Amino acid sequence: MLIKFLKPLSFIPALFLMYVIFSFSSQDGDTSANLSYEVSYTIVEAGNIVLDADLQPSEIASLATRFNGVVRKLAHMTEYFALAIAVSFPLYVYGLRGIPLMLVAGLFCVAFAASDEFHQSFVDGRGPGVRDVLIDSFGVFWGIILVRIIGWTGRKTIFRSFGKKKKTKGVDEAAASEEASYYNASSVYPPPVQKRPTYQNNQMRSTQNPMPGQNPWGYQNAHPYPGPSSYSQTSQDTCGPKKKRQNNAENLSEDMSLKKLVRDLTKKDKTE
């Protein structure tokens, strides 16, 4: 809940930098030149102290005037370098990565640089410059590249375990929801696995003959064994293999007696 609340606040640095850049562009030409000169003088003076060059104030002022143009261009590039970082970071947090991040953040920052140069055309002593837009775009490019490098390194090192846990949690929730939807959609649940029945008496199964109406194998819930008593005497007399063999024997004896009679009569005719 806190992360969802803080995500929109990540755009505040970008809005602040845009306000700062617009304020600098609103200065007239003399004020902007004096500000850049003071920055150049401070840089040269700090270099004189660090390098112990023992430069005179006139020499420091001369060097500051010489490097004033370079400082102004570096200031342009630094402003938009910071703006690109401030714009790319929230987009990265919202899941925009790779080429889409470079396109969206780059086009936005370059468009703001062009609009800022157009705004300078209405300020006294200032004017638009295409070269300034190109310098600003160079700073924007490296700002986006830095955000991509930091984000990729963080995902591979610091936030790697957090990403794995989040992915595993999402997979488990998806599997649980899929299983729940399956059981909710199906009206018949799969039958429970039945255990293999056990024998009650292995010795009786191997040595003893089953009694009529007795379960010889000891299976639970098995049908009773139909013994000989379940058959009626009439059915045993009228059907079955024994009765069929008896009928076949009688028919065979009748056929043999008839053949013998025919043979005797034929023999008697021949003798007469």
Side-chain angles (χ1 to χ4, degrees):
M1 187 65 182
L2 183 61
I3 296 176
K4 292 182 179 179
F5 175 75
L6 293 177
K7 271 186 175 182
L9 299 180
S10 59
F11 289 98
I12 293 178
L15 296 176
F16 175 75
L17 285 174
M18 292 170 67
Y19 171 76
V20 171
I21 294 173
F22 183 82
S23 299
F24 284 149
S25 299
S26 300
Q27 296 176 351
D28 55 18
D30 295 335
T31 305
S32 178
N34 291 331
L35 180 62
S36 61
Y37 176 79
E38 291 178 1
V39 173
S40 302
Y41 190 90
T42 304
I43 293 173
V44 173
E45 188 177 15
N48 182 34
I49 297 173
V50 172
L51 298 175
D52 195 14
D54 294 333
L55 296 176
Q56 299 298 323
S58 60
E59 295 176 347
I60 295 175
S62 177
L63 290 175
T65 304
R66 184 184 304 177
F67 292 109
N68 188 23
V70 177
V71 170
R72 290 177 65 89
K73 303 309 177 184
L74 288 176
H76 269 272
M77 189 176 65
T78 304
E79 288 175 350
Y80 283 91
F81 176 81
L83 179 63
I85 294 175
V87 171
S88 301
F89 181 74
L91 296 177
Y92 196 92
V93 169
Y94 276 94
L96 199 63
R97 312 284 169 80
I99 302 300
L101 175 65
M102 297 188 68
L103 291 176
V104 174
L107 290 176
F108 178 82
C109 293
V110 172
F112 182 79
S115 65
D116 184 63
E117 292 297 325
F118 179 74
H119 165 248
Q120 291 181 12
S121 62
F122 299 98
V123 180
D124 295 336
R126 305 288 296 271
V130 178
R131 186 175 61 178
D132 291 342
V133 176
L134 296 177
I135 294 173
D136 298 340
S137 302
F138 185 75
V140 168
F141 174 78
W142 287 110
I144 298 173
I145 292 296
L146 180 62
V147 170
R148 291 191 60 187
I149 292 174
I150 294 175
W152 182 84
T153 306
R155 286 189 294 112
K156 295 298 181 181
T157 55
I158 301 175
F159 302 104
R160 185 175 183 179
S161 59
F162 176 75
K164 286 185 177 180
K165 290 180 181 179
K166 187 175 181 181
K167 184 177 180 181
T168 306
K169 183 179 179 182
V171 171
D172 295 340
E173 291 178 354
S177 62
E178 183 178 359
E179 184 178 0
S181 62
Y182 168 75
Y183 283 114
N184 291 332
S186 60
S187 59
V188 180
Y189 287 89
V193 179
Q194 297 180 356
K195 296 183 179 179
R196 184 176 181 180
T198 57
Y199 298 113
Q200 293 179 353
N201 192 347
N202 294 332
Q203 185 177 2
M204 181 186 70
R205 182 176 67 86
S206 58
T207 58
Q208 298 179 2
N209 295 325
M211 298 299 293
Q214 184 181 3
N215 180 8
W217 311 114
Y219 288 108
Q220 298 178 359
N221 299 328
H223 295 288
Y225 181 79
S229 60
S230 62
Y231 295 99
S232 62
Q233 188 69 25
T234 306
S235 62
Q236 291 182 359
D237 294 341
T238 56
C239 62
K242 185 176 180 181
K243 186 64 178 176
K244 290 181 180 180
R245 287 196 299 270
Q246 186 177 359
N247 294 335
N248 292 335
E250 291 178 357
N251 295 332
L252 183 60
S253 61
E254 290 178 358
D255 293 340
M256 291 179 65
S257 60
L258 182 60
K259 290 180 180 179
K260 185 177 180 182
L261 179 61
V262 172
R263 188 169 55 252
D264 292 341
L265 292 175
T266 305
K267 187 176 180 181
K268 185 177 181 180
D269 293 337
K270 287 182 178 179
T271 55
E272 289 180 354

